[in-house]
Amino acid sequence: MIQAFGLTSNSRKDFPPAVDDVSFEARAGRVTALLGATGAGKTTALRLMLELQQGRGLTYFRGRPLHRIAHPSREVGVLMGDVPGHPARTVRGHLRMLCAAAGVPVRRADEVLEVVGLVSLRDERLGTLSRGMDRRLGLACALLPEPHTLVLDDPADGLSTRESHWLHGMLRAHAARGGSVLFTTSEPKEAACASDHVITLDQGRLVADQEATEFARTRLRPRVAVRTPHAARLAALLAKEARTAHRSVEVVREGGNRLSVYGSTCADVGETAFRHGVLVHQLADEIGDMGPGAGLFPGEAAEAAEDPRAGVTGSETGEFLGDGAPGVAASEMPGGPGAHDDFAQSGSHMHGAQVVPADPKADADRAPGSSRDTHSGPAEESDHAALSPTAAPRAPGPLAPLPPPISVRSAPSPLRPLRYELRRAAGIGTGFLTGAAVLVTSALTAVLLARIGHTPQARLLAAWPRELPLPPAALGAGLLGALAFGDEFRHPALAADRGTVPRRLGLLTAKLVVAAVTALALAILVVGCDAEVLYLVYGRELTEVPADWFSLSASWFGLVVGCAWAGVLAAGIFRSTTAGLAAVVAVPILVVPLVRKALGEGSVRAAAGLPARLREVLLLQWPFGGERYLAGVVRVVAQPVGGALTLSLTALLCAYLLTALRSRVR
């Protein structure tokens, strides 16, 4: 179960907090709805619960706060906003990447794809998915590690009625297996029908904590939906008769030819229209919201506008009901006094908690004996508690059962972060395109520098003009390193694991290893490509191996790998790809002048004999010519760029560790 105590967001300036002292429970085996209008604080409350936003209060998931859970994604499945994923990644590749992140078998991705009905779209890119398929993939991501708790932020937003029924059926199935489900919504009818418990927020404060049956009985208002081409005339007649009879009747124009009548019945409205010869196209008892102008269940308005048989817009189509009578749609009433008296007869049928519009196709899909015709009349006015909203809404098709629980390894594998990082980096073409652009740019730069002349051979092979702070290979490696964290903050893949990106040293180590290997491969390819192009254009003269190739190679590899690591660390600290790349460029532009000024020109000569002095002091005998390698490393670090890069990496690593410790302390 979920227990939230005193959730309060940090206020900004003179504005009150978006969430102020909110406490509630969401029990296991039940679906709980967090209801509120736009801006009521629903999303902020979820972010406080998941520790994605700073504030006060505690939230326990089965008795433990999220930061005390070893693997949060296995305990809490999260769907916040759009599906967290790069638009160029495939559906199956995205789920396989998350399998590695959660430490579950890779076959789980195919199992969940079958559950949510996305098997046929597994090779599609995320950026090409429709809104409904996007929501299905989001639910698949939440269900991937078989969590006990599901936390979803407005999961039915923008979905059609059919997709909304399917989604809430999946949530019901998860709760029926003993899980906890908490979702937010701004639709009172959706909350009353699709949940067992309703928690209402208003301006960041808790205003109601009720069972769904009690919520529907006390918070929802019954109304009569009328569709007529003479809406203004009928509204005036109804208001006049209400004043004459001293009755409290409220008539609201919903736009076009639609009226909502509060405080009356279908029979009374129908009799008034009949007496005055007003043509009525539809007359229905409905359960409205907490006031006039009630919206539709998500997706109904769009489907009503697209359905040529309906011919209307608004909530007169079949809809979910709260704790009240099913919607009753009147057949068309001919205008004039000679109309049939039974014009208020229902044209809709009830199936469970769902009202299905009466048409031949709907009747063909309905099981025999599963519905009955309902007639509007005076007796219905006092019978608005016949339906329980806790009944699960019927999905349009057979609901696929959830797969059985998976066996999760008790001890985390050290290769799990590495597998995740490899799938993340190889799942999209950004890295390959960046590498190709670096190779082409380096080759063209090398040819241009050779034509101009006056460029040392080492800089010529690296395509590094003196006018540029860094060569293209170093900039490309820094960009790839910055994307390692920057893409995750733009498209978070581990939302429940201590923020959008978990501050875990295992994940950082995996990113540094993959970035280093990528940078080394890029450095070797750039030198080889430049040498080959120079040989083809100018001959063998410019491609001879330098005498001090070892120290030059160490400096070259150290520079490229250092830039990649600086991009990784800076993007992880500042949560931005741009900030990571800016930190790489800042090393030669800002840090190098400071290092030169602080150390002076004699630093290279002072450090030249360091290996020999270490051997004398520590009585250390270097095996396999180790003194030579150590001298090469010292030479690299002693250079201005090498020293500045080392200093920057040390500062960034300390800052990253500090932020990791701070997040754990919180």
Side-chain angles (χ1 to χ4, degrees):
M1 69 182 299
I2 305 174
Q3 296 172 301
F5 303 101
L7 297 179
T8 305
S9 61
N10 294 336
S11 58
R12 295 183 177 180
K13 297 182 180 179
D14 298 331
F15 295 96
V19 175
D20 189 5
D21 195 21
V22 173
S23 301
F24 61 87
E25 289 185 356
R27 299 182 180 178
R30 312 188 72 191
V31 179
T32 304
L34 192 61
L35 174 66
T38 303
K42 307 183 298 296
T43 302
T44 303
L46 294 190
R47 293 183 62 84
L48 290 172
M49 294 169 58
L50 299 172
E51 301 179 8
L52 301 177
Q53 182 172 328
Q54 295 184 7
R56 299 186 298 276
L58 292 174
T59 303
Y60 291 102
F61 298 90
R62 288 203 291 179
R64 292 177 297 171
L66 195 65
H67 61 271
R68 296 292 184 185
I69 301 175
H71 302 285
S73 60
R74 300 179 191 171
E75 177 66 30
V76 184
V78 179
L79 175 57
M80 301 283 289
D82 294 332
V83 174
H86 196 286
R89 201 180 303 277
T90 63
V91 171
R92 190 167 183 263
H94 180 66
L95 291 177
R96 287 169 62 89
M97 180 189 71
L98 296 185
C99 284
V104 299
V106 72
R107 68 177 183 274
R108 175 68 174 167
D110 296 323
E111 294 175 358
V112 176
L113 283 176
E114 292 184 5
V115 171
V116 300
L118 290 179
V119 176
S120 60
L121 300 179
R122 59 184 178 183
D123 295 326
E124 295 292 327
R125 305 288 179 182
L126 300 189
T128 64
L129 296 180
S130 64
R131 178 67 175 177
M133 297 302 102
D134 185 85
R135 294 279 92 183
R136 287 179 183 244
L137 179 59
L139 185 61
C141 295
L143 293 173
L144 193 65
E146 194 70 15
H148 175 271
T149 303
L150 290 179
V151 177
L152 308 100
D153 186 20
D154 208 357
D157 180 35
L159 299 186
S160 65
T161 305
R162 180 182 179 88
E163 291 168 337
S164 299
H165 295 174
W166 174 87
L167 175 64
H168 290 297
M170 292 291 294
L171 300 185
R172 288 282 185 187
H174 185 83
R177 287 172 43 185
S180 302
V181 178
L182 175 66
F183 73 93
T184 67
T185 179
S186 58
E187 297 290 341
K189 288 181 289 185
E190 179 187 3
C193 181
S195 68
D196 305 308
H197 198 84
V198 181
I199 299 163
T200 307
L201 296 181
D202 184 23
Q203 296 183 357
R205 290 183 174 273
L206 182 67
V207 296
D209 190 341
Q210 304 167 294
E211 294 293 321
T213 52
E214 182 184 1
F215 168 80
R217 178 173 54 83
T218 60
R219 306 282 291 182
L220 300 184
R221 297 177 60 187
R223 66 184 177 187
V224 178
V226 186
R227 184 169 59 89
T228 171
H230 309 290
R233 181 186 172 199
L234 182 57
L237 292 173
L238 292 173
K240 181 180 178 181
E241 290 193 358
R243 288 194 301 269
T244 303
H246 301 286
R247 291 189 296 121
S248 177
V249 176
E250 184 178 4
V251 183
V252 178
R253 287 287 300 273
E254 297 288 356
N257 59 356
R258 171 69 187 269
L259 293 177
S260 291
V261 183
Y262 296 86
S264 186
T265 64
C266 278
D268 293 338
V269 175
E271 290 174 3
T272 301
F274 180 77
R275 284 196 304 269
H276 296 85
V278 177
L279 176 66
V280 174
H281 289 164
Q282 185 180 20
L283 192 63
D285 277 328
E286 292 183 349
I287 293 297
D289 58 8
M290 290 172 282
L296 294 176
F297 194 88
E300 287 184 271
E303 288 197 351
E306 296 173 359
D307 191 353
R309 296 170 302 169
V312 297
T313 57
S315 58
E316 56 259 353
T317 58
E319 59 188 0
F320 272 141
L321 303 181
D323 186 28
V328 184
S331 58
E332 181 175 340
M333 184 190 73
H340 195 277
D341 290 341
D342 196 22
F343 68 89
Q345 183 176 358
S346 170
S348 297
H349 302 277
M350 179 190 63
H351 185 95
Q354 180 184 6
V355 175
V356 184
D359 58 69
K361 295 182 179 180
D363 291 338
D365 294 338
R366 196 169 54 248
S370 62
S371 62
R372 61 181 180 86
D373 290 342
T374 56
H375 299 266
S376 61
E380 292 181 351
E381 186 177 8
S382 60
D383 192 25
H384 280 294
L387 253 180
S388 171
T390 59
R394 181 176 66 89
L399 185 64
L402 293 176
I406 56 177
S407 58
V408 180
R409 294 182 296 272
S410 57
S413 170
L415 297 179
R416 178 166 65 93
L418 186 60
R419 284 198 297 266
Y420 162 76
E421 181 60 21
L422 288 174
R423 291 173 184 170
R424 183 206 64 79
I428 56 178
T430 304
F432 303 104
L433 292 177
T434 302
V438 168
L439 291 178
V440 173
T441 304
S442 298
L444 295 178
T445 304
V447 172
L448 183 61
L449 291 177
R451 183 176 182 83
I452 295 174
H454 309 292
T455 301
Q457 187 182 16
R459 282 184 170 267
L460 194 62
L461 292 176
W464 188 359
R466 295 182 182 275
E467 294 77 14
L468 294 181
L470 289 173
L475 291 174
L479 176 59
L480 293 178
L483 289 173
F485 267 132
D487 272 351
E488 288 189 347
F489 285 110
R490 288 174 53 215
H491 313 285
L494 306 171
D497 283 352
R498 299 293 300 128
T500 50
V501 175
R503 299 294 191 181
R504 298 186 184 276
L505 294 182
L507 181 64
L508 174 63
T509 303
K511 289 184 179 296
L512 293 178
V513 169
V514 172
V517 173
T518 304
L520 287 175
L522 188 62
I524 294 174
L525 288 175
V526 164
V527 173
C529 182
D530 291 349
E532 188 68 22
V533 171
L534 290 174
Y535 173 76
L536 292 175
V537 177
Y538 298 107
R540 191 178 298 276
E541 180 183 357
L542 298 178
T543 58
E544 295 180 356
V545 179
D548 54 345
W549 65 270
F550 177 78
S551 60
L552 290 176
S553 300
S555 300
W556 173 241
F557 292 148
L559 174 66
V560 178
V561 173
C563 288
W565 284 357
V568 171
L569 294 172
I573 294 171
F574 301 109
R575 305 193 171 201
S576 171
T577 302
T578 305
L581 188 59
V584 174
V585 178
V587 170
I589 296 179
L590 299 178
V591 184
V592 168
L594 295 177
V595 172
R596 282 177 173 171
K597 186 176 181 180
L599 300 180
E601 295 296 334
S603 58
V604 176
R605 292 190 297 274
L610 179 61
R613 291 193 293 272
L614 284 176
R615 184 178 60 186
E616 294 176 359
V617 173
L618 302 177
L619 302 178
L620 198 63
Q621 187 66 33
W622 303 105
F624 306 108
E627 183 175 351
R628 178 187 176 192
Y629 298 106
L630 183 60
V633 173
V634 171
R635 256 189 232 104
V636 173
V637 176
Q639 294 175 1
V641 176
L645 195 56
T646 304
L647 181 62
S648 299
L649 287 175
T650 304
L652 290 173
L653 183 59
C654 292
Y656 186 92
L657 295 176
L658 179 61
T659 56
L661 292 176
R662 287 183 61 189
S663 63
R664 289 179 180 272
V665 168
R666 290 200 194 101

